[in-house]
Amino acid sequence: MNLSATPLPGRLSAPALLVVAHLRWDFVFQRPQHLMTRAARTRRVYYIEEPFFGPHADHLQRREEPCGVTVLRPHIEEGHSPAESQARTARLLRELVREEGLTEYDLWVYTPYELPITEGLTPRVTVYDCMDELAQFKGAPPELREREEQLFERADLVFTGGYRLYEAKRERHAGAHPFPSSVEVDHFARARQALADAPDQAGLPRPRLGFYGVIDERFDIQLIGELARRRPEWQFVLLGPVVKIDPAELPRGENLYYLGMKSYGELPTYLAHWDVALLPFALNEATEFISPTKTPEYLAAGVPVVSTPIRDVVRPYGEKDLVRIADGVDAFEAACAAALAERHTPAGEERRARADAHLAHLSWDRTWRDMSALIERAAAQKQAVALAGVADD
């Protein structure tokens, strides 16, 4: 995918899309960015981040991304209650709709907590893209569950980031559809080529066991710490920002390397020189419903994968024996050792071939195409109901 290619105005034939997000656009490149870069090929996409508060008048800071997405960052005058601050943001969004001439648009919500900022909007279709069970995350606001119920009442469609989430949400909304994490296979398959090693990794010994992603309460720091202690000959490369946990709590050792956040474009360079890729998630409330995007990305890179028993990794990746699933430090250590031993063997090649066959059916392009079809179907159904109501009158 060419992220630098800005869509031509003539191609923006579909209604605009207002996206209420809980993640900064320039944070880790994941589900929202994958989907919205594709939406921007045929729509005007306004990606609305969470607000900044300060001693300034209310306004929207606007930034045009090369992919065509317009990122909007509300700047709200500090000193007001949360309810008043959200009401102020809602006024900014209504002004945006009016000033941009958006006579028809869809609403896409990632965080129910910010539902009040959509007050006064009249979208054609409302989508709740539930990528995580945010109410179970550390520091989640108590209002989140109540507002999710309100969002269920307003939403025409509910997309879930995995099958475990779908099982939970389908009981609460008839329009729920599972859309687990997908992958840009070609992007990560570059790791199978002879890429030069990243400068901050190049001098590290082998074997290397790597992880990339947000390091937060979902990351099992005890597991990684004990593995590093038991296996001083293994080098653990950990990429990503540390969020919501004290960096001082992270395990330390001569074979533990925290290399910080890397861009999406850099990831294949690191993967190309890993021997095993890790999904060392703790089993807690925050991970009960996750569907790690990195699972198919690791596999597309051709790197053996070891994971703790996260439901959406076990099914389908563990059940298809594409990923080794291990519960507890002893099993995880043994699985890593088995993955290292299988490198460069016929069994390893056979496992990669089966993974490639599975990934051949996945792509973010296909995911967005299927989502778009459901949105248009919902719009047509609403229009038919409205016309029937007019006819009855």
Side-chain angles (χ1 to χ4, degrees):
M1 181 183 65
N2 183 4
L3 293 180
S4 64
T6 302
L8 297 174
R11 295 172 57 194
L12 303 183
S13 55
L17 189 61
L18 302 185
V19 184
V20 178
H22 65 295
L23 298 172
R24 301 290 181 198
W25 180 263
D26 54 3
F27 190 52
V28 177
F29 196 94
Q30 50 187 301
R31 182 185 183 94
Q33 290 84 354
H34 279 296
L35 294 174
M36 294 308 127
T37 54
R38 285 160 175 79
R41 295 172 182 172
T42 57
R43 300 169 175 256
R44 283 187 285 176
V45 176
Y46 300 88
Y47 187 90
I48 304 150
E49 298 183 337
E50 291 184 328
F52 276 129
F53 299 97
H56 46 243
D58 299 345
H59 66 280
L60 289 176
Q61 180 185 3
R62 180 174 183 144
R63 186 177 78 249
E64 306 293 337
E65 289 294 315
C67 64
V69 171
T70 298
V71 177
L72 299 170
R73 184 169 295 179
H75 287 252
I76 304 300
E77 182 182 80
E78 62 189 357
H80 302 284
S81 69
E84 173 59 22
S85 295
Q86 289 183 319
R88 286 170 170 262
T89 304
R91 284 195 290 271
L92 292 177
L93 295 187
R94 291 194 296 270
E95 291 173 6
L96 171 77
V97 168
R98 184 173 62 254
E99 293 170 359
E100 294 288 302
L102 304 182
T103 57
E104 187 176 49
Y105 55 90
D106 296 328
L107 178 65
W108 186 287
V109 180
Y110 276 111
T111 170
Y113 179 75
E114 296 292 347
L115 187 61
I117 74 171
T118 68
E119 191 67 32
L121 299 181
T122 55
R124 181 186 68 144
V125 172
T126 297
V127 176
Y128 174 26
D129 189 15
C130 182
M131 62 181 283
D132 286 306
E133 188 62 273
L134 296 178
Q136 296 187 188
F137 278 29
K138 185 176 181 180
E143 302 92 343
L144 207 154
R145 291 190 185 279
E146 179 183 348
R147 289 182 186 172
E148 185 179 62
E149 288 301 325
Q150 296 170 1
L151 180 54
F152 279 133
E153 293 176 4
R154 299 187 196 180
D156 301 292
L157 294 166
V158 174
F159 299 150
T160 66
Y163 289 106
R164 179 69 185 92
L165 263 178
Y166 170 68
E167 291 169 353
K169 304 304 180 185
R170 68 182 175 184
E171 304 299 327
R172 299 163 67 187
H173 198 285
H177 301 269
F179 284 99
S181 296
S182 197
V183 63
E184 289 183 331
V185 171
D186 291 346
H187 178 74
F188 287 94
R190 292 174 48 233
R192 306 188 188 196
Q193 303 168 8
L195 300 180
D197 205 350
D200 58 350
Q201 179 179 259
L204 304 184
R206 305 287 286 263
R208 299 175 188 163
L209 293 81
F211 166 88
Y212 64 74
V214 179
I215 300 174
D216 58 13
E217 77 269 25
R218 296 170 294 176
F219 186 83
D220 195 334
I221 57 178
Q222 286 76 28
L223 172 62
I224 290 297
E226 179 61 15
L227 281 175
R229 187 193 67 79
R230 291 186 182 189
R231 292 285 190 159
E233 74 277 17
W234 292 355
Q235 312 305 309
F236 294 86
V237 180
L238 307 173
L239 312 179
V242 179
V243 177
K244 294 192 290 185
I245 59 174
D246 185 351
E249 297 178 2
L250 296 176
R252 303 290 172 176
E254 293 184 356
N255 59 339
L256 282 164
Y257 305 91
Y258 298 93
L259 301 186
M261 187 168 172
K262 306 300 176 185
S263 71
Y264 180 72
E266 292 176 296
L267 295 177
T269 300
Y270 287 87
L271 282 162
H273 300 276
W274 289 358
D275 301 291
V276 177
L278 305 177
L279 294 167
F281 289 109
L283 302 181
N284 56 34
E285 283 191 344
T287 61
E288 181 181 356
F289 296 95
I290 65 172
S291 177
T293 305
K294 59 185 66 62
T295 312
E297 293 174 349
Y298 285 166
L299 292 173
V303 183
V305 183
V306 177
S307 176
T308 52
I310 296 300
R311 180 74 173 272
D312 275 16
V313 180
V314 173
R315 186 185 62 184
Y317 298 100
E319 292 176 350
K320 291 189 173 185
D321 196 26
L322 307 179
V323 169
R324 287 179 169 84
I325 306 296
D327 190 5
V329 65
D330 292 340
F332 207 90
E333 178 186 13
C336 290
L340 288 169
E342 192 178 82
R343 293 175 302 165
H344 315 305
T345 67
E349 291 298 328
E350 189 270 339
R351 188 188 300 269
R352 276 188 291 275
R354 286 189 289 106
D356 290 345
H358 177 80
L359 296 178
H361 301 287
L362 300 181
S363 77
W364 285 112
D365 285 340
R366 178 177 178 177
T367 298
W368 176 249
R369 185 169 61 248
D370 292 346
M371 287 177 164
S372 295
L374 288 169
I375 292 171
E376 294 309 313
R377 184 187 307 169
Q381 290 172 345
K382 291 181 71 174
Q383 184 180 37
V385 170
L387 291 174
V390 171
D392 290 341
D393 292 342

